Each structure stands twice: as structure tokens, then as C-alpha cells.
């Protein structure tokens, strides 16, 4: 169960924002308005002075376990390449707004990305740039939530923001009326109750690194910035100790 003591929300100096593929588009995998909206949210978040690294999902392009054409592992490979497509889009857009960007991939795609290198990422973030991490974990059977958890640990982020299409974590299916919104809970309880909004592997890594997470509605304008300011927005997930 979640601890009864209300946790103090972290105001990070460095944060990882996980942007799911749904943020880039829907029916059309890449929708200009959606992408401009994401860019705006990232730029707003940077204005407060927090160092920002992004971990990009790929569900708008392909999800290994949902597609019906490829084997699971080939589908996952394609999914990871899909995250790279989104990363290329973000890099291009950020560079157009004069933000220095490093695109680092856990899956080697040499011509378009650099390999994941926490030291280089650290230096780039200190210099005021944005690092975009793609390629997930580089392994099948994982999701980009786990990648966000891993990269946050490696670059010493103080907070992970996970943008979704709901307000945060609910006690059941958010579309059901009796589902209760949970403003905060521990990773332990998230895993125990199998609430499903982040994958268990990611929650376990965050328990290990001790980095809290805010799960918030990416489509609420300014929500990421408010979460970075420690405002009570979304669901705050934190390690027991
Ligand atoms: N994926 C993978 N390993 C990883 C991360 C992602 O195989 O470490 C694949 C997997 O098929 C996944 C797809 O890439 O479904 C897109 O990632 P994800 O589902 O996390 O994207 P999101 O739902 O955040 O858009």
C-alpha cells in the first residue's frame, strides 16, 4: 500500500521527460500540430532552467507486441527503430528553434544517431542543450518506460516525467466512473496493485535508482512545466525509502 505520509514533490535540476509515441500523432503517425505541441511543451519546460533529457516512445509507428506482421522480436526491433524516427523529428524541430540537441540511441544506427554515452550527455546538458534518447533499451521485450528509468539513473536525473493521455494513475480503468484518481503512491504499490500504467521493469529500476516519477497528462498544456515546479499535478510515484 502507499505510504500514508504525503511525499514532498521534487523540484529537479535535471529531469527526464518520457514522451510516448502517441504525442507525435494518431491516425497519421506524424501530425504537424501534435509535434509542434510537444516542441512547445519541451521549450516551456526548459525555460524554468531545468536540464531536460527526453526519452522518446514509438507507439505511433509500431509496437512489437501489437503488430501482426512480424515475429515478436523483429516487431520489437522495428519498434525501436520507430522511436528513432520520432527522435529524428524532435531533433530537427528543436534544432530549428536553436536548441542544441544530441540524439543518442541504445540501438546502433550510426549515420543518424550517436551511441548512448552518459558522460557526453551530462556535458551537453550542463551546457544547456537537450539530449534525446532513442532506441529504447536496445533490447526486445522492453518498453521505453524502462529506457527512461535506465537513462535517468545513468545521467543522474532527479525526476522522471511520464506524459500519457490520462491525468495520472487510477485505481482501475480510467474510463470507468468508479476508478479513483491516485495523486501519489509508491513504486512498490504500483507494482503490487498491477495498475499497469508503467511497466514493472521500469518501476523496479526506479525503486533501485530511487528516482521519483510524475505521471501526467501530456495533452494538458503546461503540465510538464508545473510538474517540474513541484506542483501537485498528475500522480507522484516515489520509492518507499
Ligand atoms: N521497444 C523494444 N525495446 C525497448 C523499447 C521499445 O523492443 O527497450 C519496442 C517495443 O516493440 C515497443 C516499441 O518499441 O512496443 C515502442 O516503444 P513503446 O511501446 O515504449 O512506445 P510508447 O508506447 O511509449 O509510444
Amino acid at each position: 500500500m502507499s505510504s500514508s505520509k504525503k511525499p514532498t514533490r521534487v523540484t529537479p535540476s535535471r529531469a527526464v521527460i518520457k514522451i510516448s509515441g502517441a504525442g507525435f500523432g494518431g491516425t497519421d503517425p506524424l501530425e504537424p500540430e501534435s509535434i509542434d505541441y510537444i516542441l512547445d511543451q519541451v521549450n516551456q519546460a526548459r525555460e524554468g532552467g531545468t536540464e531536460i533529457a527526453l526519452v522518446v516512445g514509438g507507439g505511433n509507428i509500431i509496437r512489437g507486441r501489437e503488430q501482426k506482421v512480424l515475429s515478436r522480436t523483429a516487431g520489437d526491433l522495428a519498434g525501436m527503430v520507430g522511436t528513432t524516427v520520432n527522435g529524428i523529428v524532435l531533433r530537427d524541430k528543436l534544432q530549428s528553434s536553436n536548441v542544441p540537441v544530441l540524439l543518442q540511441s541504445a540501438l546502433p544506427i550510426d549515420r543518424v544517431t550517436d551511441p548512448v554515452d552518459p558522460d557526453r550527455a551530462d556535458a551537453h546538458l550542463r551546457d544547456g542543450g537537450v539530449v534525446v534518447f532513442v532506441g529504447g533499451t536496445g533490447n526486445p521485450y522492453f518498453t521505453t518506460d524502462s529506457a527512461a528509468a535506465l537513462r535517468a539513473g545513468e545521467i543522474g536525473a532527479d525526476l522522471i516525467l511520464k506524459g500519457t493521455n490520462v491525468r495520472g494513475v487510477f485505481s482501475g480503468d480510467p474510463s470507468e466512473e468508479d476508478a479513483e484518481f491516485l495523486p501519489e503512491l509508491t513504486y512498490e504499490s504500483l507494482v503490487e496493485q498491477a495498475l499497469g500504467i508503467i511497466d514493472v521493469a521500469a518501476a523496479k529500476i526506479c525503486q533501485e535508482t530511487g528516482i521519483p516519477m510524475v505521471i501526467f497528462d501530456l495533452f494538458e498544456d503546461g503540465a510538464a512545466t508545473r510538474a517540474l515546479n513541484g506542483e501537485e499535478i498528475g500522480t507522484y510515484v516515489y520509492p518507499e525509502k
Side-chain angles (χ1 to χ4, degrees):
M1 293 304 290
S2 61
S3 155
S4 53
K5 194 165 166 282
K6 209 173 165 61
T8 307
R9 294 206 179 200
V10 164
T11 47
S13 46
R14 177 174 290 179
V16 163
I17 307 181
K18 153 75 204 287
I19 299 173
S20 68
F24 289 80
T27 331
D28 181 351
L30 298 176
E31 284 166 358
E33 307 76 33
S34 308
I35 292 162
D36 284 345
Y37 173 80
I38 289 182
L39 188 73
D40 186 40
Q41 300 306 302
V42 172
N43 281 329
Q44 278 184 42
R46 290 183 72 240
E47 275 165 23
T50 310
E51 294 172 2
I52 302 289
L54 304 170
V55 170
V56 179
N60 55 323
I61 297 174
I62 186 166
R63 283 206 180 90
R65 68 176 183 284
E66 287 171 12
Q67 53 76 38
K68 295 183 178 66
V69 179
L70 302 165
S71 66
R72 170 65 194 266
T73 50
D76 280 344
L77 197 58
M80 290 185 273
V81 173
T83 69
T84 308
V85 172
N86 289 336
I88 292 170
V89 170
L90 262 189
R91 173 173 60 184
D92 189 53
K93 291 302 232 175
L94 283 162
Q95 282 176 338
S96 307
S97 55
N98 295 318
V99 179
V101 188
L102 270 188
L103 184 62
Q104 294 195 347
S105 179
L107 187 77
I109 306 184
D110 294 351
R111 241 196 84 191
V112 280
T113 63
D114 293 317
V116 170
D117 179 341
D119 291 335
R120 268 194 79 198
D122 175 64
H124 188 74
L125 291 167
R126 282 176 198 276
D127 287 346
V130 167
V131 181
V132 180
F133 290 112
V134 296
T137 64
N139 296 296
Y141 303 109
F142 283 92
T143 72
T144 50
D145 285 352
S146 292
L150 289 170
R151 299 289 90 85
E154 283 184 313
I155 63 167
D158 316 296
L159 184 68
I160 301 170
L161 301 187
K162 176 181 157 73
T164 69
N165 56 3
V166 285
R167 197 177 142 207
V169 182
F170 288 78
S171 60
D173 181 346
S175 62
E176 301 288 329
E177 238 174 57
D178 59 352
E180 190 195 335
F181 174 70
L182 306 172
E184 55 252 332
L185 81 166
T186 61
Y187 285 113
E188 287 79 359
S189 124
L190 190 78
V191 171
E192 259 167 40
Q193 296 179 55
L195 294 170
I197 195 150
I198 58 169
D199 72 65
V200 171
K204 296 258 178 200
I205 298 164
C206 292
Q207 267 176 273
E208 188 77 24
T209 59
I211 302 170
M213 180 183 294
V214 176
I215 300 173
F216 71 102
D217 184 358
L218 181 63
F219 302 98
E220 185 184 326
D221 190 16
T225 306
R226 292 175 57 199
L228 293 175
N229 290 336
E231 286 183 38
E232 291 201 1
I233 193 159
T235 297
Y236 190 70
V237 192
Y238 60 101
E240 208 134 68
K241 291 200 194 77

